[in-house]
Amino acid sequence: MAKKPAPRSSKLSVYLYVPNIIGYIRVLLNCLAFSLCLRNKIIFPILYFFSFVCDAVDGWCARRFNQVSTFGAVLDMVTDRISTACLLVVLSQLYKPGLVFLSLLALDIGSHWFQMYSTFLAGKASHKDVKDSTNWLFRAYYGNRMFMAYCCVSCEVLYLILFYLAENQTETLADVLSSNLQKITLISFLIGTSLFGWATKQIINVIQVCTWFIYACIF
Amino acid sequence: MAKKPAPRSSKLSVYLYVPNIIGYIRVLLNCLAFSLCLRNKIIFPILYFFSFVCDAVDGWCARRFNQVSTFGAVLDMVTDRISTACLLVVLSQLYKPGLIFLSLLALDIGSHWFQMYSTFLAGKASHKDVKDSTNWLFRAYYGNRMFMAYCCVSCEVLYLILFYLAENQTETLADVLSSNLQKITLVSFLIGTSLFGWATKQIINVIQMKTAADMCVLYDIDKKHKH
């Protein structure tokens, strides 16, 4: 005799998972932040950084309350990509050459997109589960969650610092960086430490794009 | 007795598929276009539009020469998303309020990302193979390839026209649109016809995002249900 199926959870219950509600709050925080970013240079970094903190919190909540969901993971990824993209857009308006930030935007979107595809095609659970990569930097990055977190946070911190330092609409990026690195201040320390993490993340992004190009034709 | 496996085509041959070579040309065209977009307002739209034409050509070539590849499809999709994103970034610098173009960028990336994900989860061949949606606009859009093409082309045409019309860095979008729509010129005709297709595409993007999100949720529910 067929077993009576258990009642199916409603779609709504997944949409109301605690981590997903945090996800919606992140989206609203970002909308608010970017709507006033050019008018209020203090509030914007605070809202943006708070949204970034929520990013870590909702992952923790999902595991703590057993409310991990595919929808939540995708919402998280999309919110990350779009908020980073918008911040890079703002920086491309505040600094010359704007093309640098446009390229970083292209690299961020392209590398994550390719990586999503590779993950699916290879049947891995998450793009962070890389066990068989032969590249040492790749393994160092994905094998060590603290290092990975440091690199991701570095990018956001560097971009927010650059936002904060821009005085007018036509700063030259090289000038601002060099003048701030020559002094010994908290800012120069933050720039120095985050530059390394940022550079690592961008190299990882490039490797991900190359990995796609090398392996995609297998599928 | 085990059958001897057919020799595998070399990896290199996929990279050299005609449509994929067109794909590389598209990437180069876009890099060139965006590197000079703020300096040369005539060349940029030409290069960008030519890259867009190549987008259609490489799909045709892939089917014609039987050289369809996952690599090519993804390269195509990523090139589309990044080139549209960069064009919207440029428009956000040329027009006020820049936030409109930032929002369009967010919608474009968000809706396509969710759609890509749900396509994989549902095992469909392509996000364009949607046959079971109950939304009439969805069915009209995906059921009719000409209409779909018209909507996609409209977006690019509208953005390129806006790029071309911007005189200085602080144009107000509403002013430029209304002043051009009041005259009877080729440009106003193009704006009028592409506005409808653009609007349709944006509405489709929103619906797609919701449908794809639902699919992600249903995927988890189905998985739990099976255990």
Side-chain angles (χ1 to χ4, degrees):
Chain A
M1 186 157 31
K3 192 169 95 173
K4 186 172 175 204
R8 299 177 87 151
S9 355
S10 68
K11 277 193 307 190
L12 189 62
S13 62
V14 177
Y15 284 126
L16 294 179
Y17 277 178
V18 169
N20 295 342
I21 297 210
I22 297 178
Y24 309 146
I25 292 175
R26 281 192 69 205
V27 172
L28 289 173
L29 279 174
N30 275 302
C31 290
L32 186 61
F34 283 102
S35 64
L36 50 81
C37 71
L38 291 177
R39 276 171 291 162
N40 195 319
K41 300 196 61 184
I42 309 288
I43 303 243
F44 170 76
I46 294 174
L47 290 174
Y48 187 90
F49 194 73
F50 189 52
S51 158
F52 188 70
V53 167
C54 286
D55 190 5
V57 171
D58 72 7
W60 178 87
C61 281
R63 289 180 289 273
R64 175 82 174 72
F65 301 126
N66 195 26
Q67 285 183 335
V68 176
S69 63
T70 306
F71 167 70
V74 180
L75 178 63
D76 218 37
M77 168 67 88
V78 171
T79 309
D80 285 344
R81 298 281 68 68
I82 294 177
S83 61
T84 301
C86 288
L87 180 51
L88 288 170
V89 170
V90 172
L91 288 176
S92 76
Q93 294 187 21
L94 297 175
Y95 284 94
K96 291 204 179 315
L99 211 62
V100 170
F101 297 103
L102 224 59
S103 310
L104 290 175
L105 192 159
L107 179 61
D108 186 75
I109 291 179
S111 66
H112 283 91
W113 204 286
F114 286 136
Q115 188 64 22
M116 274 295 114
Y117 256 93
S118 310
T119 304
F120 271 115
L121 294 173
K124 291 193 180 63
S126 154
H127 76 280
K128 297 173 191 168
D129 294 336
V130 173
K131 291 183 183 52
D132 45 38
S133 171
T134 50
N135 183 286
W136 69 268
L137 187 59
F138 229 53
R139 283 202 312 270
Y141 180 78
Y142 283 117
N144 186 331
R145 290 300 169 107
M146 288 303 293
F147 183 58
M148 195 167 98
Y150 155 71
C151 292
C152 291
V153 173
S154 294
C155 288
E156 307 292 329
V157 166
L158 184 66
Y159 297 153
L160 284 178
I161 289 177
L162 284 175
F163 173 85
Y164 178 73
L165 288 176
E167 299 290 321
N168 56 56
Q169 294 259 348
T170 50
E171 299 279 3
T172 308
L173 180 61
D175 290 348
V176 172
L177 278 177
S178 57
S179 68
N180 276 282
L181 283 170
Q182 278 160 16
K183 305 180 244 179
I184 313 281
T185 61
L186 172 65
I187 298 247
S188 60
F189 171 73
L190 281 175
I191 294 180
T193 43
S194 58
L195 261 177
F196 175 70
W198 167 87
T200 305
K201 183 97 174 60
Q202 301 316 309
I203 293 172
I204 294 283
N205 284 346
V206 171
I207 294 174
Q208 272 172 359
V209 173
C210 294
T211 305
W212 163 263
F213 270 83
I214 293 170
Y215 291 111
C217 52
I218 294 178
F219 302 110
Chain B
M1 185 158 33
K3 195 170 95 171
K4 185 172 172 204
R8 300 178 84 156
S9 352
S10 70
K11 274 199 302 190
L12 190 61
S13 59
V14 177
Y15 294 129
L16 296 179
Y17 278 179
V18 169
N20 297 342
I21 297 205
I22 296 177
Y24 309 145
I25 293 175
R26 282 192 68 205
V27 172
L28 289 173
L29 279 174
N30 276 303
C31 289
L32 185 62
F34 283 102
S35 63
L36 50 80
C37 71
L38 291 176
R39 275 172 293 162
N40 195 320
K41 300 196 61 182
I42 309 289
I43 304 244
F44 170 76
I46 293 175
L47 290 174
Y48 187 90
F49 195 72
F50 190 52
S51 157
F52 187 70
V53 167
C54 286
D55 189 5
V57 170
D58 74 7
W60 178 86
C61 281
R63 289 180 288 274
R64 174 82 173 75
F65 300 126
N66 196 27
Q67 287 182 334
V68 176
S69 61
T70 306
F71 171 74
V74 179
L75 179 63
D76 217 37
M77 165 69 89
V78 173
T79 309
D80 284 346
R81 298 279 69 69
I82 294 178
S83 61
T84 301
C86 289
L87 180 51
L88 287 170
V89 169
V90 172
L91 288 175
S92 77
Q93 294 187 20
L94 296 175
Y95 284 94
K96 292 208 177 315
L99 209 63
I100 286 187
F101 297 104
L102 230 58
S103 310
L104 290 174
L105 193 158
L107 179 59
D108 186 75
I109 292 179
S111 65
H112 282 91
W113 204 286
F114 265 104
Q115 190 64 23
M116 165 189 75
Y117 221 93
S118 69
T119 302
F120 271 114
L121 294 178
K124 291 195 177 63
S126 153
H127 77 278
K128 298 174 192 168
D129 293 335
V130 173
K131 293 182 180 52
D132 46 44
S133 170
T134 50
N135 184 286
W136 68 268
L137 186 60
F138 225 54
R139 285 203 309 274
Y141 180 78
Y142 281 118
N144 187 332
R145 291 301 170 105
M146 287 306 292
F147 183 57
M148 193 166 98
Y150 155 71
C151 291
C152 291
V153 174
S154 294
C155 287
E156 307 292 330
V157 166
L158 183 67
Y159 297 153
L160 285 179
I161 289 177
L162 285 175
F163 172 84
Y164 177 73
L165 288 175
E167 298 289 322
N168 55 55
Q169 294 261 348
T170 50
E171 299 279 2
T172 309
L173 179 63
D175 290 347
V176 173
L177 276 177
S178 59
S179 66
N180 275 283
L181 282 170
Q182 277 160 17
K183 307 181 240 175
I184 313 279
T185 60
L186 174 65
V187 172
S188 62
F189 170 74
L190 283 174
I191 293 180
T193 43
S194 57
L195 262 176
F196 176 70
W198 166 87
T200 305
K201 183 97 175 56
Q202 303 314 310
I203 295 172
I204 293 284
N205 281 345
V206 173
I207 298 174
Q208 249 175 15
M209 204 155 50
K210 173 69 170 66
T211 307
D214 281 346
M215 243 191 273
C216 289
V217 172
L218 286 171
Y219 173 79
D220 280 343
I221 292 178
D222 278 347
K223 225 171 41 166
K224 257 195 240 178
H225 192 62
K226 286 193 177 92
H227 289 98

